Amino acid sequence: MLRGYRKRYAKAGGKTKRAPALTLTALRAMVATLDPDTLVGVRDRAVIVLGFAMGARRSELAALDLTDLEPHAEGIQVTVRISKTDKDGAGRIVAVLVGLGDADGDLD
């Protein structure tokens, strides 16, 4: 029913509201506010950067378990089991390659 309403709305010229994508500049600003000398700061940095690298939604990140992360020589493989757009619950595998950063762990 809701899909039908959305189709009619789109045909009538309506546009759905979408959040803007996070930019690398904004990501750097977010990460810079976190304290790398605390476990919470390190954890939060890792989650934020992982979510950006995956292009993941908040709910997808929150649903991850440690067993969903599999290390590989080129990076990690992340199994996303629950997703808003996965109507059948099939899940998906996301490859996250090792990024380049400086010795301080900054996103350069």
Side-chain angles (χ1 to χ4, degrees):
M1 196 170 180
L2 290 175
R3 239 180 268 148
Y5 288 136
R6 280 192 287 267
K7 284 182 183 179
R8 279 189 282 192
Y9 181 71
K11 285 181 182 178
K15 293 185 179 183
T16 56
K17 181 179 159 188
R18 300 188 112 191
L22 181 66
T23 64
L24 191 53
T25 303
L27 175 69
R28 286 183 177 137
M30 290 169 62
V31 169
T33 65
L34 301 169
D35 186 0
D37 296 327
T38 66
L39 289 176
V40 172
V42 171
R43 178 206 57 201
D44 290 350
R45 280 177 168 228
V47 170
I48 288 171
V49 172
L50 177 65
F52 182 81
M54 291 175 53
R57 291 181 165 82
R58 287 181 306 207
S59 60
E60 293 170 346
L61 285 173
L64 287 178
D65 191 62
L66 191 57
T67 59
D68 295 329
L69 307 175
E70 185 178 328
H72 286 274
E74 299 85 19
I76 59 172
Q77 179 177 297
V78 182
T79 302
V80 179
R81 300 182 191 286
I82 299 170
S83 177
K84 175 181 170 183
T85 58
D86 185 10
K87 303 296 183 197
D88 299 326
R92 67 185 171 110
I93 306 282
V94 179
V96 178
L97 301 176
V98 173
L100 299 177
D102 61 16
D104 296 330
D106 292 336
L107 300 170
D108 291 332

